[in-house]
């Protein structure tokens, strides 16, 4: 006769390491050094297609996974938690972005995977100096690199993928 809460393969983890409400797991997670947390977080980026026409919007999906069996928090030096780039340009723009130097935290449950989505409008933003207006420029035809990262100083989880602009 199977146990009262179902066959062994269907039972939920009774010990709570994947439940953030577990005081034991929460307490253990606070002692995990930031260097270990950084190595335990994996990040991947993908797009909705591989090939686009000039000016087509590009849907980015970024997944960040805590590979530890404990809840963890990673601290960022500014309010930015994560970012994306096109050909190395933050948010496909040459505009300078200023963020407060206040740290922020990105928290994960044990084994949790967070998914972020972003749409790039398919154009590069070019900010003019002085009287020159801001303009939007189509990327050149060919291969372009899309990147994503956690906004940490130094060694940080990041990934890239390539798309092709044809037309």
């Amino acid at each position: 006769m199977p146990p009262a809460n179902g066959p062994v393969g269907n039972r939920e983890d009774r010990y709570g390491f994947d439940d953030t409400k577990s005081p034991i797991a929460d307490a253990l997670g606070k002692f995990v050094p930031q260097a270990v947390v950084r190595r335990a977080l994996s990040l991947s980026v993908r797009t909705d297609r591989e090939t686009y026409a000039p000016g087509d919007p590009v849907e980015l999906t970024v997944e960040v996974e805590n590979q530890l069996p404990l809840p963890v928090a990673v601290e960022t030096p500014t309010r930015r938690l994560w970012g994306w780039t096109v050909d190395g340009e933050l948010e496909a723009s040459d505009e300078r972005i200023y963020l407060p130097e206040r740290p922020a935290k990105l928290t994960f449950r044990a084994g949790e995977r967070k998914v972020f989505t972003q749409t790039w409008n398919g154009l590069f933003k070019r900010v003019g100096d002085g009287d020159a207006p801001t303009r939007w420029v189509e990327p050149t035809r060919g291969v372009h690199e899309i990147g994503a990262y956690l906004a940490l100083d130094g060694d940080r989880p990041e990934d890239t993928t390539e798309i092709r602009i044809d037309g």
Side-chain angles (χ1 to χ4, degrees), residues 34-35 37-44 64 74-78 80-85 88-90 147-160:
Q34 286 292 293
V37 172
R38 287 172 182 236
R39 285 192 300 275
L41 295 176
S42 66
L43 184 142
S44 65
V64 184
V74 64
E75 298 172 3
T76 61
T78 67
R80 178 184 293 276
L81 298 175
W82 69 283
W84 60 277
T85 61
E89 290 190 37
L90 182 62
Y149 61 90
L150 286 184
L152 306 172
D153 289 334
D155 189 26
R156 63 186 183 190
E158 58 189 333
D159 188 31
T160 62

Side-chain angles (χ1 to χ4, degrees), residues 21-100:
K21 293 184 174 106
S22 167
I24 294 170
D26 284 344
L28 289 173
K30 291 178 183 175
F31 293 104
V32 180
Q34 286 292 293
V36 173
V37 172
R38 287 172 182 236
R39 285 192 300 275
L41 295 176
S42 66
L43 184 142
S44 65
V45 62
R46 68 179 185 276
T47 57
D48 58 328
R49 303 193 315 259
E50 292 180 12
T51 305
Y52 298 85
D56 276 356
V58 178
E59 299 289 327
L60 286 70
T61 301
V62 178
E63 291 185 16
V64 184
E65 182 179 7
N66 172 16
Q67 299 174 332
L68 291 175
L70 301 168
V72 296
V74 64
E75 298 172 3
T76 61
T78 67
R79 303 305 297 163
R80 178 184 293 276
L81 298 175
W82 69 283
W84 60 277
T85 61
V86 179
D87 294 339
E89 290 190 37
L90 182 62
E91 299 175 6
S93 174
D94 63 358
E95 181 175 23
R96 292 189 55 113
I97 297 175
Y98 298 96
L99 294 171

Side-chain angles (χ1 to χ4, degrees), residues 5 33 77 98-99 105-106 114 118-119 121 129 139 153 159:
N5 42 342
Y98 298 96
L99 294 171
K105 243 182 219 187
L106 188 57
K114 290 187 185 285
Q118 178 68 45
T119 302
N121 67 3
D129 291 333
D153 289 334
D159 188 31

Side-chain angles (χ1 to χ4, degrees), residues 7-21:
V8 173
N10 294 335
R11 277 189 293 180
E12 293 183 28
D13 180 9
R14 293 182 4 198
Y15 301 105
F17 280 108
D18 58 353
D19 181 359
T20 57
K21 293 184 174 106

